[in-house]
Amino acid sequence: MMFTKAITRKPCRALIDGITTAMYDDATPVYEKAVEEHDTYVATLKELGLEVEELDADERYPDSCFVEDPAVVMERCAIITNPARDSRNGEKDEILPVIKKFYSDDQIFFIEAPGTMEGGDVMRVGDHFYIGQSERTNAEAAKQFNDIVTKFGYTSSTVPVTEGLHLKDFVIYLENNNMLVSPVMNEQPAFKDFNRYVVEPDELYAINSLYINGTVIVPEGYPKTQKYIEELGYPVKLVDTSEFRKIDGSLTCLSLRF
């Protein structure tokens, strides 16, 4: 799968009030350092050949730099999600104008209440989407999503998320049949036919690595996972996302890629 474009949004100062489960790090982000990390992240996407649409910071929404959550994009259509948390729900309205730059009205669809969904729960493998059933994404949204994408030749299925926040915190697809998984996701029947690497407990954050056109962006500071990815034959670029880690943010959620 080849990507040519990405959408990002600059972190806002309200980032320090972002939602967190303290799953990885019980600390407050340092805004200035988060901006530096984000700039490096965007520069890395550009180095890998992507044309990046950079949106301005939005102080109304502390978590708005995590643009992957209010929309899911693919070649044939785009779906505006319906985030479950009140503090994030308005992000879907703010992402719509930029989505309209790249998709016609008949290619844009919406998850409607009582369905709730965040893009961090949607993992693509070829033309199939695995949808995590989590506190943020419910069965009604998964049904609506399936009804939409099947019209365009895609398929979908659901996977329970029984730990943490989003599906892609615990399983990520690296193309070429390779996956990084947590011990729990390693037991999921849905993933039994993939080549799975079970990430060790002290490096779980590194599961959320990001495949871009043959290269894998890996969070800085997780040498065992980095070594495994390199041994698979992927070139690796390291990016520090330690400030975003403090509010459960990671590599995939900082961009929409298509």
Side-chain angles (χ1 to χ4, degrees), residues 39-75:
D39 287 346
T40 300
Y41 175 84
V42 171
T44 303
L45 295 179
K46 291 178 179 178
E47 287 172 14
L48 294 174
L50 274 61
E51 180 182 333
V52 182
E53 182 88 12
E54 299 179 70
L55 305 178
D56 291 335
D58 191 336
E59 295 293 342
R60 296 170 297 172
Y61 302 106
D63 295 285
S64 55
C65 61
F66 303 129
V67 292
E68 184 182 57
D69 288 324
V72 178
V73 294
M74 59 206 84
E75 298 91 339

Side-chain angles (χ1 to χ4, degrees), residues 74 77 79 129 145-156:
M74 59 206 84
C77 65
I79 298 174
F129 293 90
F145 186 97
N146 185 70
D147 289 345
I148 294 165
V149 299
T150 51
K151 297 174 184 175
F152 293 89
Y154 303 103
T155 56
S156 75

